[in-house]
Amino acid sequence: MAKKEYRTYRGMRDFLPSQMRRRDYVFNVLREVFEAHGFEKIETPAIELWEVLSGKYGEEEKLIYRFTDRKGREVGLRYDLTVPLARFVAQHRSELVFPFKRYQMERVWRADRPQKGRFREFYQCDADIVGSPSMMADAQIITIIYDALTRLGFKRFLIRINNRKLISALHRKIGEGDEFSLARAMDKLDRVGLDGVKDELLSRGFSPSAAERVIAAMSLTSLKEANKFFGEEEGIYELEELFSYLKAMGIPDDFYSYDPSLARGLDYYTGPIFETVVEEPRIGSITGGGRYDKLIGSFAGTEIPATGTSLGVERIITVMEELGMFPEKISPPAHILLAHFRDTRAEALKLASQLRQKGIKVDVYCGEKGLRAQLGYASQKGIPLVGIVGEEIKKGMISLKNLLTQEQSEVPVENLEKFIRGLYYFDFG
RNA sequence: GUGAGCGUAGCUCAAUGGUAGAGCAUUGGACUGUGGAUCCAAGGGUUGGGGGUUCAAAUCCCCUCGCUCACCCCA
């Protein structure tokens, strides 16, 4: 036996079957929501050439896993799914139908220090619309966020919405400092409060009068007020249009709001930006996204507008675990286990094949132990039904035991499929 | 990158500076037709690693590695 202690690399995880069932449940719901909105799935490679990744993330770039391959080419593990999408669109432009609506559910990597809800290897589920400058596209993205979270059972969440153009406008209005620094300070609101933001601005070299104006801008609670404050601004018109579409699509208005403090860290956003927060538990944002009209142009040569969101599945799963939101019965590893004795093995295997052809998930115990152990096996794996293939098989009968209710009865083999399908707790899709 | 807490059997955890233990898990048996069992037995540890203080260190001190949490930032 190896004595060395092995473990997973920091921030990376194994998933047990019981965990995978829950994860897949979430992924399946998301897939259904994406497809309900007409989005098509694509995949892209884990590794991108360094020139694809570099210069897209600002400060975050230092968190990209970067290395050289055997021939000395600079490459990196993808940091998100948005930049690879931009490269993908530029590369396959002639083969795509625009506006192009795609979703992606894949791993990304960040050389970050792990903590609660943060990993070095994790999945993101992204939905983006490429090739439409219309606020209809942004509205559809936000609707997807709402639909996905609602279908997963979230009762309360808030989609915060702002526009990068308004941060630029505010920066122009105060006429000092740099925009990035301004955005950073504003983004701290929910952690340090208005006074904290003011201190942050002063320590970043903004004048007291500038800080006052920023605080005033951040105290705006509605688009109407924002309109008065900013005057004629494209960013305001965009949000007004966006909100009118959200209303038309029936999103309850207490699930989203204009939030002048939302800034978002990534460099590539150019228009409306949005992220979703939950109050319990404290975990940071569970979705994040926005419009990025210039990014694809940096690959394609010509500008191609785009907007989209990333759903933070890992955090969504963490929240669902902590709040006990997973349904009691996520589909079992098998609908039925066929238990057998030494002289009925062949019969059990034959019956298993027949049932599988009818779409039943059948497990057959493949160890050398007796009935006692086989029942324990089913019980521990969470298989709710055991078909005991014993000598009654000669009469065309098997004993069917329901482990949840303790009930047992002899059932003719030809009725078995119907019997299994009749049980309320199975979902046969 | 900054800070705090914690590392004892495969897992969860005990042990005032004084003989390293329990439960679960594993393996064998009671036990080839009725389930998470019960009983018996067995295996399993340089107490993360290294150094120091001490008659004596899992326990105190230093270094190091690892994990967790928070900050930064983010999904």
Side-chain angles (χ1 to χ4, degrees), chain A residues 16 42 50 95 111 155 188 203 218 227 275 279 288 308 349 353 357-358 366 370 385 409 420:
Chain A
L16 295 166
I42 66 163
W50 179 251
E95 303 157 85
K155 298 281 183 252
K188 285 184 190 282
S203 75
M218 290 176 63
N227 203 341
E275 69 176 38
E279 282 183 8
L349 290 170
S353 295
Q357 284 187 352
K358 291 172 180 166
C366 57
L385 257 195
S409 55
I420 296 168

Side-chain angles (χ1 to χ4, degrees), chain A residues 21-37 103 105 125 144-154 311 313 316 320 325-327 330:
Chain A
R21 252 180 284 160
R22 293 178 157 206
R23 294 176 65 82
D24 279 344
Y25 166 79
V26 173
F27 283 96
N28 285 336
V29 168
L30 295 182
R31 179 174 46 74
E32 284 169 21
V33 170
F34 293 148
E35 293 185 0
H37 284 262
Y103 74 95
M105 311 199 289
C125 294
I144 282 177
I145 296 169
Y146 174 79
D147 285 356
L149 294 177
T150 302
R151 282 217 33 204
L152 286 170
F154 282 77
L311 291 155
V313 264
I316 287 172
M320 290 179 69
M325 289 168 59
F326 281 101
I330 290 179

